[in-house]
Amino acid sequence: VLLLAALTAGALAYVKLDVYGHVVPRLTALSLPKAENLAKAVGLKATEAGSNWDAKVRPGWVISQSIRPGRHERAGVTIGLVVSKGVEPVKVPDLTGDGLTAATAALSSAHLTATPIPQYNPTVPVGRVINWTSKGQSVKPGTSITVYISKGPAPRDVPQVASTDTYTEAAALLARQGFRSYKATEHTMLAPVGWVVFVSPDHSSGPQKYDTRVEVMISLGPPSVEIPFVGSDSLAQYRALLEHDGFVVKAYGPPGPVVYTVPSPGSYRLEGSTVYVYTI
């Protein structure tokens, strides 16, 4: 009887050891396929039961297991594994209306970096954000976000201004093309009073920066010149003075001293006007 009892107890212990003789291995810090194979090798089963973001465990590797390592289990018991999805993505912030400094700070707060690229843009103010990559998306921390910064409108050619334009007409034309104008005047015989003499820079100067100031030179007509005073000048001397100043001379009388002129000395007349000289 005693022998039978001992044999029975030993058999039960053997059965128990055989049934619960599968030691759960450590499956964390292994890739999912390796963890599954290792569990299978010791007569157990491992399967993915969930996933979590984890900055320390690479994607596809085991974070935790449902049955602690070292526990004895029956053959075929399933061990649930939580698998890493890697670092949790961060939302790219909205940079609308930001300058480069503000955009860089916003991205830095989200653990992202900014790569600025200047671009011409006709509507976005200079220095403001036009657009950025991964807009509205979530990306891995540390991702570089390309930020396009406005340089304002692109350079353009100065329009051709007609010589018959007034300053008002020329200024309006330049403004429509994105240029500022300022008025200058000069006496000239090249254009009637009030007409454009030239603009600078002009159409031939090539593309100019948006909002460049363009000089518009307006004619005041021929210059006015003072008729010189008469001293003891002979007709020849006085004629030379008048012609040097651009006057046309018509003399009356003998080739003696100049007595008077019409218009009178000291008055102003346009260059090219006729001065009548009378001698004795």
Side-chain angles (χ1 to χ4, degrees):
V1 172
L2 291 174
L3 179 60
L4 181 59
L7 290 173
T8 302
L12 291 173
Y14 174 78
V15 171
K16 183 175 181 180
L17 181 63
D18 181 61
V19 173
Y20 291 93
H22 301 274
V23 180
V24 176
R26 181 176 296 279
L27 303 178
T28 54
L30 296 176
S31 66
L32 180 59
K34 285 185 177 180
E36 291 172 340
N37 289 336
L38 179 56
K40 184 178 180 181
V42 297
L44 301 172
K45 181 180 180 182
T47 185
E48 182 177 353
S51 60
N52 278 326
W53 301 110
D54 195 305
K56 297 180 179 180
V57 180
R58 70 185 74 178
W61 287 53
V62 177
I63 301 172
S64 63
Q65 57 192 84
S66 62
I67 304 176
R68 63 178 175 79
R71 183 184 174 99
H72 292 261
E73 292 290 346
R74 292 177 298 172
V77 166
T78 299
I79 305 169
L81 304 177
V82 177
V83 179
S84 173
K85 296 192 291 184
V87 180
E88 183 175 6
V90 293
K91 183 72 176 292
V92 177
D94 187 355
L95 306 178
T96 303
D98 285 350
L100 178 57
T101 300
T104 301
L107 291 170
S108 179
S109 296
H111 305 289
L112 303 169
T113 60
T115 301
I117 295 182
Q119 278 189 345
Y120 289 114
N121 188 282
T123 57
V124 178
V126 175
R128 296 292 175 179
V129 174
I130 303 169
N131 206 345
W132 60 96
T133 55
S134 302
K135 189 173 185 178
Q137 300 176 16
S138 293
V139 298
K140 182 180 178 181
T143 297
S144 178
I145 303 300
T146 301
V147 182
Y148 299 97
I149 302 295
S150 175
K151 296 197 296 181
R156 67 280 313 281
D157 289 332
V158 177
Q160 289 184 312
V161 177
S163 61
T164 56
D165 282 355
T166 63
Y167 174 74
T168 300
E169 292 168 333
L173 174 61
L174 290 167
R176 287 195 296 271
Q177 298 299 317
F179 296 101
R180 290 180 295 136
S181 60
Y182 67 97
K183 183 179 181 180
T185 57
E186 70 172 5
H187 286 282
T188 179
M189 300 181 68
L190 298 176
V193 175
W195 285 19
V196 172
V197 181
F198 64 83
V199 297
S200 180
D202 63 8
H203 182 74
S204 65
S205 301
Q208 303 294 316
K209 184 180 177 182
Y210 178 80
D211 206 33
T212 293
R213 294 182 75 227
V214 177
E215 177 186 14
V216 181
M217 183 64 70
I218 299 298
S219 173
L220 295 176
S224 294
V225 184
E226 183 181 13
I227 297 174
F229 285 89
V230 178
S232 58
D233 297 337
S234 66
L235 175 60
Q237 292 171 321
Y238 196 61
R239 180 191 293 275
L241 285 175
L242 291 171
E243 290 179 345
H244 177 269
D245 290 338
F247 292 111
V248 176
V249 179
K250 286 193 175 182
Y252 294 92
V258 175
V259 181
Y260 65 94
T261 66
V262 177
S264 60
S267 60
Y268 285 82
R269 292 295 184 272
L270 295 177
E271 185 178 337
S273 298
T274 299
V275 177
Y276 299 91
V277 179
Y278 296 86
T279 62
I280 58 174

PDB file of all heavy atoms in Angstrom, residues 54-62 83-86:
ATOM      1  N   ASP A  54       6.456  54.573 -27.836  1.00  0.00           N
ATOM      2  CA  ASP A  54       7.532  54.475 -26.858  1.00  0.00           C
ATOM      3  C   ASP A  54       8.804  55.039 -27.482  1.00  0.00           C
ATOM      4  O   ASP A  54       9.293  54.527 -28.494  1.00  0.00           O
ATOM      5  CB  ASP A  54       7.753  53.024 -26.430  1.00  0.00           C
ATOM      6  CG  ASP A  54       8.598  52.918 -25.175  1.00  0.00           C
ATOM      7  OD1 ASP A  54       9.719  53.477 -25.165  1.00  0.00           O
ATOM      8  OD2 ASP A  54       8.134  52.280 -24.208  1.00  0.00           O
ATOM      9  N   ALA A  55       9.316  56.097 -26.868  1.00  0.00           N
ATOM     10  CA  ALA A  55      10.488  56.768 -27.428  1.00  0.00           C
ATOM     11  C   ALA A  55      11.759  55.966 -27.229  1.00  0.00           C
ATOM     12  O   ALA A  55      12.764  56.207 -27.909  1.00  0.00           O
ATOM     13  CB  ALA A  55      10.640  58.147 -26.790  1.00  0.00           C
ATOM     14  N   LYS A  56      11.744  54.998 -26.272  1.00  0.00           N
ATOM     15  CA  LYS A  56      12.960  54.252 -25.948  1.00  0.00           C
ATOM     16  C   LYS A  56      13.044  52.903 -26.653  1.00  0.00           C
ATOM     17  O   LYS A  56      14.117  52.298 -26.693  1.00  0.00           O
ATOM     18  CB  LYS A  56      13.051  54.051 -24.440  1.00  0.00           C
ATOM     19  CG  LYS A  56      13.175  55.349 -23.652  1.00  0.00           C
ATOM     20  CD  LYS A  56      13.268  55.077 -22.160  1.00  0.00           C
ATOM     21  CE  LYS A  56      13.418  56.374 -21.379  1.00  0.00           C
ATOM     22  NZ  LYS A  56      13.504  56.140 -19.917  1.00  0.00           N
ATOM     23  N   VAL A  57      11.927  52.403 -27.128  1.00  0.00           N
ATOM     24  CA  VAL A  57      11.908  51.080 -27.773  1.00  0.00           C
ATOM     25  C   VAL A  57      11.614  51.266 -29.256  1.00  0.00           C
ATOM     26  O   VAL A  57      10.633  51.920 -29.615  1.00  0.00           O
ATOM     27  CB  VAL A  57      10.856  50.155 -27.127  1.00  0.00           C
ATOM     28  CG1 VAL A  57      10.849  48.794 -27.814  1.00  0.00           C
ATOM     29  CG2 VAL A  57      11.132  50.007 -25.633  1.00  0.00           C
ATOM     30  N   ARG A  58      12.428  50.688 -30.074  1.00  0.00           N
ATOM     31  CA  ARG A  58      12.275  50.875 -31.520  1.00  0.00           C
ATOM     32  C   ARG A  58      10.973  50.252 -32.019  1.00  0.00           C
ATOM     33  O   ARG A  58      10.465  49.294 -31.404  1.00  0.00           O
ATOM     34  CB  ARG A  58      13.471  50.276 -32.260  1.00  0.00           C
ATOM     35  CG  ARG A  58      13.549  48.767 -32.231  1.00  0.00           C
ATOM     36  CD  ARG A  58      14.817  48.228 -32.876  1.00  0.00           C
ATOM     37  NE  ARG A  58      15.979  48.452 -32.032  1.00  0.00           N
ATOM     38  CZ  ARG A  58      17.205  48.037 -32.366  1.00  0.00           C
ATOM     39  NH1 ARG A  58      17.417  47.400 -33.519  1.00  0.00           N
ATOM     40  NH2 ARG A  58      18.221  48.255 -31.547  1.00  0.00           N
ATOM     41  N   PRO A  59      10.434  50.753 -33.116  1.00  0.00           N
ATOM     42  CA  PRO A  59       9.176  50.230 -33.649  1.00  0.00           C
ATOM     43  C   PRO A  59       9.272  48.739 -33.952  1.00  0.00           C
ATOM     44  O   PRO A  59      10.273  48.257 -34.498  1.00  0.00           O
ATOM     45  CB  PRO A  59       8.968  51.040 -34.930  1.00  0.00           C
ATOM     46  CG  PRO A  59       9.747  52.285 -34.724  1.00  0.00           C
ATOM     47  CD  PRO A  59      10.929  51.900 -33.896  1.00  0.00           C
ATOM     48  N   GLY A  60       8.204  47.980 -33.582  1.00  0.00           N
ATOM     49  CA  GLY A  60       8.158  46.546 -33.875  1.00  0.00           C
ATOM     50  C   GLY A  60       8.810  45.677 -32.828  1.00  0.00           C
ATOM     51  O   GLY A  60       8.822  44.456 -32.957  1.00  0.00           O
ATOM     52  N   TRP A  61       9.322  46.289 -31.775  1.00  0.00           N
ATOM     53  CA  TRP A  61       9.954  45.522 -30.702  1.00  0.00           C
ATOM     54  C   TRP A  61       9.029  45.499 -29.490  1.00  0.00           C
ATOM     55  O   TRP A  61       8.187  46.368 -29.299  1.00  0.00           O
ATOM     56  CB  TRP A  61      11.318  46.105 -30.337  1.00  0.00           C
ATOM     57  CG  TRP A  61      12.357  45.814 -31.397  1.00  0.00           C
ATOM     58  CD1 TRP A  61      12.258  46.067 -32.727  1.00  0.00           C
ATOM     59  CD2 TRP A  61      13.633  45.213 -31.194  1.00  0.00           C
ATOM     60  NE1 TRP A  61      13.376  45.677 -33.402  1.00  0.00           N
ATOM     61  CE2 TRP A  61      14.270  45.140 -32.480  1.00  0.00           C
ATOM     62  CE3 TRP A  61      14.335  44.740 -30.093  1.00  0.00           C
ATOM     63  CZ2 TRP A  61      15.531  44.612 -32.670  1.00  0.00           C
ATOM     64  CZ3 TRP A  61      15.604  44.211 -30.275  1.00  0.00           C
ATOM     65  CH2 TRP A  61      16.194  44.139 -31.547  1.00  0.00           C
ATOM     66  N   VAL A  62       9.220  44.459 -28.636  1.00  0.00           N
ATOM     67  CA  VAL A  62       8.303  44.221 -27.515  1.00  0.00           C
ATOM     68  C   VAL A  62       8.604  45.172 -26.361  1.00  0.00           C
ATOM     69  O   VAL A  62       9.755  45.295 -25.912  1.00  0.00           O
ATOM     70  CB  VAL A  62       8.403  42.757 -27.035  1.00  0.00           C
ATOM     71  CG1 VAL A  62       7.493  42.533 -25.822  1.00  0.00           C
ATOM     72  CG2 VAL A  62       8.039  41.810 -28.166  1.00  0.00           C
ATOM     73  N   VAL A  83       3.592  45.846 -28.327  1.00  0.00           N
ATOM     74  CA  VAL A  83       4.676  46.146 -29.274  1.00  0.00           C
ATOM     75  C   VAL A  83       4.803  47.659 -29.454  1.00  0.00           C
ATOM     76  O   VAL A  83       3.806  48.388 -29.512  1.00  0.00           O
ATOM     77  CB  VAL A  83       4.411  45.466 -30.636  1.00  0.00           C
ATOM     78  CG1 VAL A  83       5.520  45.793 -31.632  1.00  0.00           C
ATOM     79  CG2 VAL A  83       4.298  43.958 -30.435  1.00  0.00           C
ATOM     80  N   SER A  84       6.034  48.145 -29.567  1.00  0.00           N
ATOM     81  CA  SER A  84       6.295  49.581 -29.714  1.00  0.00           C
ATOM     82  C   SER A  84       5.946  50.084 -31.118  1.00  0.00           C
ATOM     83  O   SER A  84       6.240  49.420 -32.117  1.00  0.00           O
ATOM     84  CB  SER A  84       7.767  49.874 -29.423  1.00  0.00           C
ATOM     85  OG  SER A  84       8.075  51.224 -29.709  1.00  0.00           O
ATOM     86  N   LYS A  85       5.348  51.252 -31.143  1.00  0.00           N
ATOM     87  CA  LYS A  85       5.120  51.955 -32.416  1.00  0.00           C
ATOM     88  C   LYS A  85       6.198  53.013 -32.643  1.00  0.00           C
ATOM     89  O   LYS A  85       6.129  53.782 -33.593  1.00  0.00           O
ATOM     90  CB  LYS A  85       3.745  52.614 -32.420  1.00  0.00           C
ATOM     91  CG  LYS A  85       2.593  51.626 -32.343  1.00  0.00           C
ATOM     92  CD  LYS A  85       1.252  52.287 -32.639  1.00  0.00           C
ATOM     93  CE  LYS A  85       0.846  53.246 -31.540  1.00  0.00           C
ATOM     94  NZ  LYS A  85      -0.513  53.819 -31.787  1.00  0.00           N
ATOM     95  N   GLY A  86       7.183  53.038 -31.763  1.00  0.00           N
ATOM     96  CA  GLY A  86       8.245  54.029 -31.884  1.00  0.00           C
ATOM     97  C   GLY A  86       7.868  55.344 -31.227  1.00  0.00           C
ATOM     98  O   GLY A  86       6.964  55.402 -30.395  1.00  0.00           O
TER      99      GLY A  86
END
